[in-house]
Amino acid sequence: MTSQDRSTPPQQQYAERSYRSPAALAGGALLLLLGLWLGGDALLRGDAHTRLTALFALLLGVPLVTAFTLRPLVRAGEDRLTVRNPFRTITLPWDAVEGLRAGYSTEVITGDGTYQLWAIPVSLRQRKKAGRQATRGTAPPTRFGPHADAGPVPRAMADQALDELREVKERATRRENPEPQGEPVVRWSYPVLAPIVAGAVGLAVMIAV
């Protein structure tokens, strides 16, 4: 090994990976367009009471739809797993992750508790379809997992994504001289929660009047 090789810092071998639900993104965009169209029409054409009601409804509905459809994200980096759920963001060093599982929902297990992965929904329909394909011996190419290029037994997308996350965790725990990663951190998303609460209170008042 040359002196230049010794002085060159090791390059990151694996890019950061992100997971989101395409169905949730599409559904959320459609709901937001519909809500803005109806709410905008009420704001433009309605009387004072209708306008205020529409305003509070939008204040409640837009961040609520955004929280459950556009916001969820799972990001797997070299050092940590970041889980962005509707109202919380959980940052987990890989050494704090004890396991990943997919039952009726996908979950990450830690010593402090279990957190759902909203961005990776479980589809029982996909699982049944994958099971039928495996029984027939027809395995389509998969995009995730340890044998993505070799055409493994078909798996549902959620199961494939968890296989890939387990690989990232395994690589992280096998690294030599890993840097200190800190403790798990859970943060509430107050910019999402505040308008939802304000909209709900305002809408309740307008309905009661």
Side-chain angles (χ1 to χ4, degrees):
M1 181 183 292
T2 64
S3 59
Q4 182 178 3
D5 293 332
R6 295 193 197 97
S7 61
T8 302
Q11 296 181 350
Q12 183 175 347
Q13 293 182 336
Y14 304 98
E16 189 174 70
R17 298 173 184 179
S18 298
Y19 302 86
R20 307 186 82 164
S21 170
L25 293 174
L30 289 174
L31 286 174
L32 287 176
L33 287 174
L34 178 62
L36 291 174
W37 175 56
L38 295 175
D41 184 69
L43 288 172
L44 291 174
R45 300 172 184 270
D47 56 22
H49 184 275
T50 301
R51 290 179 180 179
L52 278 175
T53 302
L55 179 62
F56 285 121
L58 287 174
L59 194 60
L60 168 65
V62 170
L64 194 62
V65 170
T66 301
F68 282 95
T69 59
L70 307 184
R71 176 177 159 79
L73 171 73
V74 171
R75 181 180 293 118
E78 194 174 9
D79 298 322
R80 57 186 53 84
L81 177 69
T82 303
V83 180
R84 197 170 71 192
N85 283 341
F87 304 124
R88 294 190 299 179
T89 298
I90 304 104
T91 303
L92 301 169
W94 282 115
D95 56 6
V97 176
E98 297 181 358
L100 293 148
R101 67 187 179 194
Y104 291 104
S105 63
T106 55
E107 298 172 335
V108 56
I109 305 166
T110 72
D112 297 329
T114 301
Y115 303 98
Q116 268 191 287
L117 307 180
W118 283 76
I120 308 177
V122 172
S123 171
L124 298 180
R125 183 172 175 271
Q126 282 188 3
R127 281 183 171 172
K128 291 179 181 178
K129 182 179 178 181
R132 288 195 300 268
Q133 289 173 341
T135 302
R136 298 192 197 107
T138 57
T142 57
R143 292 163 42 191
F144 305 108
H147 309 293
D149 298 329
V153 174
R155 309 256 291 161
M157 293 299 294
D159 298 321
Q160 295 174 36
L162 290 195
D163 285 345
E164 193 169 76
L165 290 175
R166 292 186 188 104
E167 284 187 6
V168 178
K169 171 178 166 54
E170 186 178 352
R171 285 199 302 267
T173 54
R174 283 205 312 258
R175 279 189 310 167
E176 294 182 2
N177 302 320
E179 297 181 0
Q181 297 182 18
E183 298 294 328
V185 177
V186 179
R187 292 189 178 92
W188 287 94
S189 180
Y190 294 108
V192 174
L193 291 168
I196 290 175
V197 173
V201 172
L203 189 59
V205 171
M206 295 307 299
I207 292 174
V209 172

